Amino acid sequence: MTTTLDTAPERTTLLPTGLVERLAGLVTAADGRPRQQSFSPFDGALVGEVPTCTADDVEQAVRRARTAQREWAQRPLPDRVAVLRRYHDLLLARQQQVLDVTQVETGKARVNAFEELLDAAMTARYYASTAVSHLRPTRRQGAVPGLTKAVEHHHPRGVIGVISPWNYPLTLAVSDALPALVAGNAVVIKPDAQTPFTALIAIELLYDAGLPRELFQVVTGAGRVLGTPMIERVDYLMFTGSTQTGRLIAEQCGRRLIGFSAELGGKNPMIVLADCDLDRTVEGAVRACFSNSGQLCISVERMYVEDAVYDRFVPAFVERVKRMGLATGLGWDAEMGSLISQDQLDVVTRHVDDAVAKGARVLAGGRPRPDLGPLFYEPTVLEGVDEGMELMRDETFGPVVALYRVEDAEAAVRLANDTCYGLNASVWTTASRGEALAVRLQAGTVNVNEGYAAAWASHDAPMGGMKDSGVGRRHGREGILKYTEAQTVAVQRLLPVGPMPGMPLERYAKVMTAAAKVLKKTPFVQ
Ligand code: NAD
């Protein structure tokens, strides 16, 4: 495989000691807790140490957050909005150090770290601009027109728990917390053990933007240890991670009857039809499959290409993939960086080797690149994948895509929907045809002539998974109202909603039957 930007591994992973210690000091942990270390995927060097928190630390974090939340909820909404506006500006202004920390901890290309940062800034801007309209009390149609005044209110739930993964450790740590905070809640987060410093630097910037320190608590450690104590104490849980863990979380939230939102795994399809713009589709496919080394919940792992264009699209796509620039380090030159961990490398290697052993053909990539870094794997394109190969249906979560030749759009839609997942899908054709096909796809987001970013970055629209890919939505109205308790206050004037005193009940029923018929015909009554 040819990589244009291959560079020799270099030790670029040391963060300033003062920074690492300052960030570790933000974790809520009793003195003397054992420390746990995280290492850079670029070269295995130590990044730093954070406390290994316990259930007692979680209890303490929730207690502090709950106390701070009472005062925060009383603050005027414009004050809370102002924090988000300042956060937007701070993220952009201090991006260099945030990008360094994100890259060192994840091994991702700088452009992918930047996309995370931009996403967090855009989420802050969106909820700063819309929180007032989402949260303000809203007049609803009352039971008896003219006599019943009904108003919908939204109250903060209290303390929101956030459990976030390692793949987008910056934006997935803060972007779901921002709407919760502006709605008047406190947040306790447990970031993934591999990426605590990225979450911590993003949260430190929120404190710098004026968020009360106690309002956003961080605990670090293993999810299986801290998850249950967190769920036992918070008022709502926002989880992003695997479907397997999502099911465990859902059971625990169910037992406590608290709400939760779960953004889970995917096996996302892309459909390429003969009337697509070929050059644009090739470039879009590269980003859709290999952004963040494929460690992106909404990235494409299956591609259904119409027979009439297959023999033109596939060589162009494969040639472009072979030219992708892989590099280590903190520069802007890499199109694709490292995988994050040995576990990820093992899954990718196992899926590809299993497929190849059972007859799949490698068109590009197909091997690790230890010469670049211990956890690099080439962007890989496979053909001839079928049932019985692990990667046909299981999420790889790495830089691997399987290509399938299909007769027409109907076959592509049928195969795209033949999965337990339903997170994201992508369709490449004319705009109007793409829109018509999109609504037939069982996926929470569908991008027409884009891989994933158009729907994801449309922050005003809901984002989340159908089927095994999730419960609930982030972004848009759903993304903030889920952190609130809806309350209806109804004021009744003059007449009761029921029989008038002394009215015979049968007569009451007749009057109401007649009234119901009139109401149905009255245009402004819903
Ligand atoms: P994971 O489920 O193993 O871990 C995610 C988080 O859950 C981590 O913070 C982890 O510490 C915690 N956790 C693990 N076990 C737990 C338990 N028993 N109780 C409570 N918390 C626990 O997922 P992962 O492998 O780290 O992340 C990759 C997965 O996340 C992929 O499946 C990917 O598709 C999915 N993901 C989904 C989205 C989305 O928006 N839908 C975004 C990113 C990642």
Side-chain angles (χ1 to χ4, degrees), residues 182-196:
V182 79
N185 298 284
V187 171
V188 177
I189 188 172
K190 192 217 74 62
D192 190 275
Q194 294 168 95
T195 51

Side-chain angles (χ1 to χ4, degrees), residues 7-24:
T7 55
E10 45 177 310
R11 270 186 67 96
T12 47
T13 59
L14 294 180
L15 296 176
T17 315
L19 171 70
V20 167
E21 284 172 4
R22 192 179 77 222
L23 293 176

Side-chain angles (χ1 to χ4, degrees), residues 17-246:
T17 315
L19 171 70
V20 167
E21 284 172 4
R22 192 179 77 222
L23 293 176
L26 300 175
V27 175
T28 301
D31 289 344
R33 292 280 182 245
R35 317 284 286 178
Q36 58 184 60
Q37 301 180 321
S38 53
F39 301 92
S40 177
F42 278 138
D43 57 6
L46 178 69
V47 177
E49 294 181 343
V50 289
T52 305
C53 294
T54 65
D56 288 345
D57 297 325
V58 174
E59 188 181 352
Q60 178 69 6
V62 175
R63 191 180 306 127
R64 287 183 191 173
R66 205 171 281 294
T67 304
Q69 189 266 336
R70 291 193 195 103
E71 193 270 321
W72 177 247
Q74 300 308 316
R75 289 235 203 139
L77 185 50
D79 284 8
R80 306 200 303 252
V81 163
V83 173
L84 265 58
R85 286 199 198 287
R86 285 194 293 272
Y87 188 55
H88 169 274
D89 296 347
L90 277 181
L91 273 171
L92 297 179
R94 299 205 202 146
Q95 59 178 277
Q96 298 309 334
Q97 192 165 54
V98 180
L99 298 185
D100 286 354
V101 174
T102 309
Q103 273 201 283
V104 163
E105 213 168 36
T106 59
K108 63 176 68 187
R110 198 162 188 82
V111 65
N112 298 141
F114 175 74
E115 285 161 357
E116 283 206 59
L117 181 134
L118 190 62
D119 184 58
M122 285 166 62
T123 307
R125 190 202 64 211
Y126 171 71
Y127 282 114
S129 310
T130 58
V132 171
S133 66
H134 289 319
L135 296 172
R136 75 169 142 237
T138 310
R139 191 79 183 256
R140 296 289 174 202
Q141 189 167 288
V144 185
L147 300 185
T148 316
K149 176 187 172 192
V151 179
E152 177 185 330
H153 297 266
H154 285 274
H155 301 291
R157 286 182 183 269
V159 179
I160 309 298
V162 175
I163 298 180
S164 58
W166 47 262
N167 65 327
Y168 278 76
L170 194 166
T171 193
L172 294 178
V174 290
S175 292
D176 290 315
L178 294 172
L181 294 164
V182 79
N185 298 284
V187 171
V188 177
I189 188 172
K190 192 217 74 62
D192 190 275
Q194 294 168 95
T195 51
F197 290 104
T198 309
L200 285 164
I201 196 165
I203 292 162
E204 187 187 47
L205 278 188
L206 257 174
Y207 302 149
D208 292 350
L211 192 81
R213 161 82 182 78
E214 298 285 289
L215 197 69
F216 198 153
Q217 301 277 325
V218 187
V219 287
T220 45
R224 64 182 186 289
V225 177
L226 303 182
T228 302
M230 181 186 275
I231 294 168
E232 280 169 354
R233 286 170 182 83
V234 297
D235 304 305
Y236 186 92
L237 190 84
M238 173 70 224
F239 174 77
T240 307
S242 63
T243 297
Q244 194 186 6
T245 312

